Amino acid sequence: MGRIFSGIQPTGGLHLGNYLGAIRNWVKFQDLHESFFCIVDLHALTTLPDPKQLRLDIRGIAAAYIAAGIDPERSYIFPQSAVSAHCELAWVFACLTPLGWLNRMTQFKEKAGKQRENANLGLYAYPVLQAADILIYKATHVPIGEDQKQHVELARDIAGAFNRQYGIEYFELPVPLILKTAARVMSLRDGTSKMSKSDPSDYSRIHFMDDPDTIALKVRKAKTDPDPIAGTPGAMENRPEALNLLGIYAALSDQSLEEVCRQFEGSTFALFKKNLTDQTIMVMEPIRQRILSLLDDQTYLDTILKKGADKARELALQHLNEIQEMVGFIKV
Ligand code: TYM
């Protein structure tokens, strides 16, 4: 029986990539493992969001987790900032992490872009805090989309560096869990770039809060090509938009890509898009409705977050005490 940890940044609302790449899998894993699902507001601060909006987004993500099937009776849902041990462990890890490791992080390079000198320290140190998020709970498994794999690998390296430095196998190396279908959901406008909240085009992604008409419009406008659907994924190698839409359908209907290709072989995209619209609405509309009703009950949401934070704090403090002892701090 392992322990699960994962998190999402509370900025810009959630999209289908977050659902298919992460949350949907969390729902499956929570039955098997003790699970901590965090709303990583400290990470979100790297973009300096408007404080009022950040507060709304934190509760919005909590509502979305529950609406999408995270059971607050079994799993712990909490804001990262409520457990200060994340930051305390991040400092210990910062002192063990060579700059060379951080310089390899592709997400920093993407986010900092050409303005590297102006990027803040928080953005640069971001993966160290992420390692602390996972390891302060001694989590063994981290369900994520493909884009976070490098960060979890860094967490493994940092855990190993800690163990070597203090001569004890204190941390088990956490394992990234990336499910094959929808590990990387691509933009609806460009099959070679990831569906992302930072894409300037709203038509590139489907949001949790999109109503059925908006979903239908976005799917209709999604980029495709004029050829009919082939019977195997291999026969569509150079058709990234086609493969992306089929992959989304496969994930939403719990089928393999191969099965979906066989099912729609020879069909036009006009016809397939009708099926994709129906399938997306069937999965996402009940989630949107539940989010709306959860957002009406802030007291309930705050009770869930407090319960999650209390449990998380207790476990994190227990580990932090052990770690502080190991590195040589004294209790006063
Ligand atoms: P974030 O907020 O960018 O994304 C949250 C989760 O959604 C997945 N995801 C996708 N999966 C498939 N296709 C996509 N287009 C797509 N876009 C996003 C991400 O892989 C992720 O699993 N640094 C993290 C948050 C974090 C974290 C952690 C995660 C902080 N501490 C500790 C795991 C463990 C992030 O920014 O994810």
Side-chain angles (χ1 to χ4, degrees):
M1 192 65 183
R3 183 177 289 137
I4 295 267
F5 181 94
S6 201
I8 296 186
Q9 290 195 59
T11 35
L14 297 179
H15 54 71
L16 199 57
N18 298 130
Y19 179 63
L20 296 177
I23 305 178
R24 186 180 63 122
N25 305 329
W26 302 357
V27 174
K28 294 179 186 154
F29 292 126
Q30 71 177 346
D31 293 337
L32 308 170
H33 305 274
E34 182 184 35
S35 300
F36 291 82
F37 297 120
C38 191
I39 300 156
V40 293
D41 49 2
L42 297 169
H43 280 112
L45 207 60
T46 54
T47 63
L48 297 175
D50 169 62
K52 223 194 248 161
Q53 188 59 45
L54 182 58
R55 271 188 283 276
L56 285 175
D57 283 343
I58 292 169
R59 292 199 177 93
I61 302 272
Y65 283 3
I66 301 167
I70 302 298
D71 176 2
E73 294 299 319
R74 270 183 296 167
S75 303
Y76 304 105
I77 301 173
F78 63 102
Q80 185 186 26
S81 60
V83 186
S84 57
H86 290 234
C87 291
E88 295 177 72
L89 181 57
W91 181 257
V92 174
F93 284 170
C95 298
L96 282 162
T97 307
L99 292 186
W101 291 3
L102 293 180
N103 289 338
R104 284 205 292 273
M105 295 296 113
T106 53
Q107 191 168 298
F108 174 75
K109 289 184 201 160
E110 275 163 32
K111 289 198 175 172
K114 292 196 179 74
Q115 302 288 312
R116 223 174 143 151
E117 288 297 310
N118 291 333
N120 63 50
L121 174 61
L123 191 65
Y124 190 62
Y126 183 114
V128 176
L129 178 60
Q130 182 160 348
D133 295 340
I134 298 165
L135 293 164
I136 193 66
Y137 302 101
K138 299 181 100 181
T140 55
H141 295 85
V142 188
I144 41 162
E146 179 76 37
D147 62 333
Q148 291 300 315
K149 188 168 176 226
Q150 193 186 36
H151 286 165
V152 179
E153 280 166 357
L154 182 80
R156 291 169 63 85
D157 290 342
I158 293 176
F162 182 97
N163 290 348
R164 276 192 306 282
Q165 178 69 25
Y166 296 103
I168 165 176
E169 288 302 304
Y170 183 69
F171 292 116
E172 204 178 298
L173 305 192
V175 180
L177 293 175
I178 302 170
L179 294 201
K180 203 171 132 246
T181 341
R184 194 172 176 83
V185 177
M186 307 309 272
S187 155
L188 300 182
R189 308 297 298 162
D190 170 6
T192 61
S193 67
K194 181 182 81 166
M195 183 179 286
S196 145
K197 48 186 125 191
S198 54
D199 190 315
S201 168
D202 203 49
Y203 285 103
S204 69
R205 59 189 164 256
I206 289 169
H207 293 282
F208 275 46
M209 298 314 284
D210 284 343
D211 61 22
D213 287 345
T214 309
I215 292 176
L217 181 65
K218 286 182 175 176
V219 173
R220 208 161 54 239
K221 280 183 166 279
K223 193 173 166 199
T224 46
D225 56 44
D227 295 337
I229 293 170
T232 63
M236 286 187 282
E237 248 176 24
N238 297 317
R239 299 170 63 190
E241 284 83 14
L243 277 176
N244 185 40
L245 294 189
L246 290 160
I248 291 174
Y249 185 90
L252 286 169
S253 61
D254 257 321
Q255 298 181 78
S256 69
L257 188 56
E258 287 73 13
E259 281 169 325
V260 173
C261 289
R262 270 200 301 278
Q263 185 185 340
F264 289 100
E265 182 173 8
S267 153
T268 62
F269 268 97
L271 179 68
F272 172 74
K273 279 181 167 184
K274 288 199 177 70
N275 286 274
L276 179 59
T277 300
D278 292 347
Q279 186 66 36
T280 311
I281 293 171
M282 196 171 90
V283 174
M284 298 311 286
E285 178 59 9
I287 296 179
R288 185 177 77 98
Q289 292 297 339
R290 284 196 290 273
I291 293 176
L292 288 172
S293 67
L294 283 161
L295 286 177
D296 269 346
D297 194 350
Q298 192 176 309
T299 316
Y300 170 73
L301 284 178
D302 287 0
T303 312
I304 298 295
L305 290 173
K306 178 162 184 342
K307 184 180 144 237
D310 285 345
K311 170 70 188 183
R313 221 178 274 126
E314 185 190 313
L315 184 62
L317 270 181
Q318 182 195 321
H319 295 152
L320 186 67
N321 276 326
E322 292 167 2
I323 291 162
Q324 288 178 330
E325 169 80 26
M326 278 181 254
V327 305
F329 295 162
I330 62 164
K331 293 260 169 283
V332 288

